Amino acid sequence: MALFVFMLGFWTAPAFSCSCNRIGPPCEAAWIQADAVFVGRVYWSWLLPTKHDGVDTWHRLVKIKILEPFIGDYSGWVTVETGAGGGDCGYDFSWGDKYLIYAHREKDGSLHTSICTRTQTVSDAGADLAYLRSIRNLPPNGRVYGTVKQYTFDPDFKPKEISIMSPYGGPEDQLFSMRPLSGSAVHLRDGEVGELTAHASPSGEFAFEDLVPGHYRIFVDLPQRMKPWEETEITVPAKGCSEVNIRTAFNGRLAGRVTDKSGAPVSYIAVEVVRASEAGHAERSFRWQTADKSGAFELGPLPPDVYIVGVNIVKHSGSREKPRTYYPGTPALVNAKRIRVEEGQLVKDLDFQLEANAQSASSH
């Protein structure tokens, strides 16, 4: 009975949604995203209660024997903490297996890892191990590399299906339609060496080699019709790298304001835009935005196409039908205005009034 109560408590514990930031390549993750990197064998693990934002939940302690250290002053036996699973980013270790572990150190000195790191089984870690085992022979400088590409939003593109639990997701060009921006000038700025420039290859690739370790700022020249890419600070580690993938899109935008029948602004309502060709059966919006306090919105970036704007115009699977309002203020799709957007064009003054009851029923 005690075991049953324990398991019941575990399975009914609150679940937390796992959201990972970008996972860099091994030459970046080993120096910037981890405090300890090693190969180790798992000998046992156990669950302990903890609190997450004041809510009772669980975490897992994993006892590991280090077999091959790479980064950090660790050897012998260590304990690594991770989530218990079920959406909290916990890594699912198996007893007796060997893993390449990337861990960060908390303020109390404990080591933590998750599916949001490059932690993986040794059998899957060939590329990582090749880099880590070469560190001692590498020159002291680092490199910056990446690609410059434009999202095309091709409606005929079929993304590769991946597991929602995969931290890597897969190659980005298998998930989104893109094209390289060949010839784009990428600039790397440092206060001491001045400014370096590289141009993207036909495949969109660029690289800066043999860089003194330190902090740099990177920016790119893009055509005005593209969405701007903000200048960003990066860190180049000794014997390591920084990967920077620059992404942009045609900066088409639709801007306007939502009011009620009296002309008063409708604050914080979800405004949606769909391709006109998909408006009758769109399961989700191409873009959506919550209008500000004054009811104003600006939807983008949008590629060249013909669009329809409105409130509650998308089919929300499993929900009840909601009153719809299409620009310029009609409940009928047949009367909705089709809006053509050219490359990088801003279409303004798309002001419209909501149909009765649409305001109270709207949600996203």
Side-chain angles (χ1 to χ4, degrees), residues 254 274 276 306-310 326-330 332-340 347-350:
L254 300 175
V274 296
V306 179
Y307 297 95
I308 287 176
V309 177
Y326 297 94
Y327 173 81
T330 174
L333 175 59
V334 67
N335 296 323
K337 183 172 180 178
R338 274 64 175 167
I339 307 161
R340 179 172 293 279
V347 181
K348 299 188 292 185
D349 302 323
L350 301 178

Side-chain angles (χ1 to χ4, degrees), residues 130-342:
Y131 166 73
L132 293 166
R133 288 166 178 164
S134 72
I135 287 176
R136 67 183 63 185
N137 300 318
L138 292 176
N141 289 350
R143 67 190 299 256
V144 173
Y145 72 98
T147 57
V148 186
K149 294 186 178 182
Q150 171 202 345
Y151 294 116
T152 65
F153 302 105
D154 178 2
D156 296 324
F157 177 79
K158 303 297 183 185
K160 179 183 177 182
E161 294 185 5
I162 61 170
S163 168
I164 61 173
M165 295 305 292
S166 170
Y168 298 100
E172 192 183 16
D173 56 7
Q174 294 183 9
L175 306 178
F176 304 99
S177 59
M178 300 186 295
R179 72 177 182 91
L181 291 181
S182 174
S184 297
V186 183
H187 306 281
L188 195 66
R189 180 182 295 152
D190 173 70
E192 296 181 2
V193 302
E195 186 174 299
L196 303 173
T197 300
H199 290 85
S201 71
S203 60
E205 298 176 332
F206 69 90
F208 298 92
E209 307 287 353
D210 197 29
L211 297 172
V212 175
H215 300 289
Y216 294 81
R217 299 198 69 83
I218 187 169
F219 58 102
V220 61
D221 296 337
L222 294 173
Q224 288 188 345
R225 65 183 184 276
M226 297 291 183
K227 181 176 175 61
W229 191 83
E230 294 184 1
E231 182 174 322
T232 303
E233 182 175 291
I234 59 175
T235 299
V236 179
K239 300 190 175 187
C241 72
S242 181
E243 181 186 38
V244 183
N245 290 317
I246 297 168
R247 300 293 179 257
T248 185
F250 282 124
N251 198 25
R253 286 155 292 153
L254 300 175
R257 188 166 173 263
V258 185
T259 63
D260 61 21
K261 289 298 184 180
S262 71
V266 179
S267 304
Y268 312 122
I269 194 166
V271 183
E272 302 163 329
V273 59
V274 296
R275 283 187 164 107
S277 59
E278 303 171 349
H281 56 272
E283 293 292 338
R284 57 182 180 179
S285 55
F286 186 89
R287 286 277 184 270
W288 73 275
Q289 183 191 58
T290 301
D292 65 17
K293 186 176 181 180
S294 69
F297 63 88
E298 183 175 298
L299 294 154
L302 301 170
D305 210 326
V306 179
Y307 297 95
I308 287 176
V309 177
V311 171
N312 300 329
I313 64 174
V314 175
K315 292 181 179 179
H316 293 273
S317 179
S319 66
R320 63 183 178 82
E321 189 72 12
K322 300 173 182 177
R324 301 179 179 185
T325 303
Y326 297 94
Y327 173 81
T330 174
L333 175 59
V334 67
N335 296 323
K337 183 172 180 178
R338 274 64 175 167
I339 307 161
R340 179 172 293 279
V341 177
E342 304 296 344

Side-chain angles (χ1 to χ4, degrees), residues 1-10 58:
M1 179 62 71
L3 177 60
F4 173 78
V5 172
F6 170 81
M7 292 301 294
L8 181 63
F10 171 70
W58 298 86

Side-chain angles (χ1 to χ4, degrees), residues 81-101:
E81 296 187 27
T82 191
D88 64 0
C89 297
Y91 192 94
D92 186 18
F93 289 100
S94 296
W95 291 9
D97 287 350
K98 291 196 297 183
Y99 294 87
L100 172 61
I101 296 172

Side-chain angles (χ1 to χ4, degrees), residues 18 26 78 120 194 246 271 340 352 361:
C18 177
V78 294
Q120 56 195 296
I246 297 168
V271 183
R340 179 172 293 279
F352 63 100

